[in-house]
């Protein structure tokens, strides 16, 4: 006897809701490890940037995005918080952090690296810019065959190994339900 029948539309709706909850979980985990001036790379509509600012150890959050409409939306919704600002930044560009003039502490890149032309080059630019911690999340399974915006299928070692060459150390690693990897790496002291 069938006990639990879920229709197609209900499955699609549930999948979307799980994705929204995963976003909150990723930012909640990142928020716990943030301090000082945090940069949220590819901030979209700003919800993650604002959420990161709720950590009392965070003094300021700068959300970066290449999409002007996203920046305007983020500013419209979250721009009334003096600790949160939104600026243009092309993460694939030569200087993705050019619009940030103040010292920085933590880079959060949630579900972004897989979209970049050269994710390791981006992380190296973050290192050069002076970030003390990088927090990255990315899918832990193959996604390039069904998400045309994903240019890479990253694994933990793809992120850790290149940064370890420059003495960055992993301070936190988690696999979230086998769906996404969460990694925090600290700069050498």
């Amino acid at each position: 006897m069938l006990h639990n029948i879920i229709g197609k539309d209900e499955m699609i709706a549930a999948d979307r809701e799980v994705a929204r909850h995963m976003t909150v979980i990723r930012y909640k985990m990142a928020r716990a490890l943030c301090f000082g001036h945090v940069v949220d790379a590819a901030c979209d509509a700003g919800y993650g940037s604002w959420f990161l600012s709720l950590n009392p150890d965070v003094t300021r959050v700068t959300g970066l995005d290449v999409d002007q409409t996203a920046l305007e939306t983020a500013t419209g919704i979250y721009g009334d918080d003096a600790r949160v600002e939104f600026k243009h930044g092309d993460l694939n560009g030569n200087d993705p952090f050019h619009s940030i003039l103040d010292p920085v502490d933590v880079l959060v890149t949630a579900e972004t690296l897989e979209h970049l032309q050269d994710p390791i080059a981006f992380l190296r630019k973050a290192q050069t810019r002076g970030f003390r911690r990088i927090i990255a999340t990315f899918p832990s399974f193959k996604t390039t065959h069904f998400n045309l915006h994903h240019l890479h299928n990253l694994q933990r070692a793809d992120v850790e190994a290149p940064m370890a060459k420059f003495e960055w150390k992993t301070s936190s690693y988690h696999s979230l339900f086998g769906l996404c990897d969460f990694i925090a790496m600290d700069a050498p002291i």
Side-chain angles (χ1 to χ4, degrees):
M1 174 171 16
L2 298 175
H3 296 285
N4 194 8
I5 299 173
I6 301 174
K8 293 176 186 176
D9 291 341
E10 190 178 0
M11 278 297 284
I12 296 296
D15 181 55
R16 287 188 182 134
E17 192 60 27
V18 167
R20 290 174 59 91
H21 285 283
M22 287 294 292
T23 297
V24 173
I25 290 168
R26 284 189 292 269
Y27 273 104
K28 185 174 181 68
M29 290 177 68
R31 182 179 69 185
L33 299 175
C34 286
F35 58 89
H37 185 181
V38 177
V39 175
D40 182 19
C43 67
D44 195 40
Y47 48 84
S49 302
W50 172 80
F51 198 63
L52 294 170
S53 78
L54 299 178
N55 177 337
D57 293 332
V58 171
T59 56
R60 182 178 190 179
V61 177
T62 302
L64 289 183
D65 208 285
V66 70
D67 185 327
Q68 190 60 39
T69 302
L71 293 170
E72 290 168 4
T73 301
T75 300
I77 296 171
Y78 302 106
D80 60 344
D81 187 327
R83 295 186 325 140
V84 181
E85 65 181 348
F86 301 97
K87 295 186 174 188
H88 182 268
D90 180 359
L91 305 185
N92 284 312
N94 289 331
D95 188 4
F97 309 107
H98 72 90
S99 62
I100 304 171
L101 303 178
D102 298 324
V104 292
D105 296 298
V106 179
L107 173 67
V108 175
T109 170
E111 304 300 295
T112 301
L113 294 177
E114 65 275 12
H115 294 262
L116 301 180
Q117 293 165 358
D118 188 344
I120 301 310
F122 171 73
L123 293 175
R124 292 282 295 123
K125 290 171 190 170
Q127 176 192 12
T128 301
R129 178 59 177 82
F131 286 96
R132 296 164 46 198
R133 176 173 288 161
I134 296 173
I135 300 170
T137 72
F138 45 89
S140 54
F141 58 96
K142 182 179 177 183
T143 59
T144 54
H145 62 298
F146 66 85
N147 187 328
L148 300 178
H149 300 288
H150 289 191
L151 305 178
H152 307 279
N153 295 308
L154 297 171
Q155 301 293 316
R156 177 182 181 180
D158 297 330
V159 175
E160 280 182 321
M163 297 305 284
K165 291 178 185 175
F166 301 97
E167 298 183 19
W168 282 67
K169 305 281 187 218
T170 297
S171 56
S172 182
Y173 171 80
H174 303 280
S175 176
L176 304 178
F177 311 107
L179 298 174
C180 114
D181 285 352
F182 175 99
I183 187 167
M185 297 175 293
D186 293 334
I189 298 173

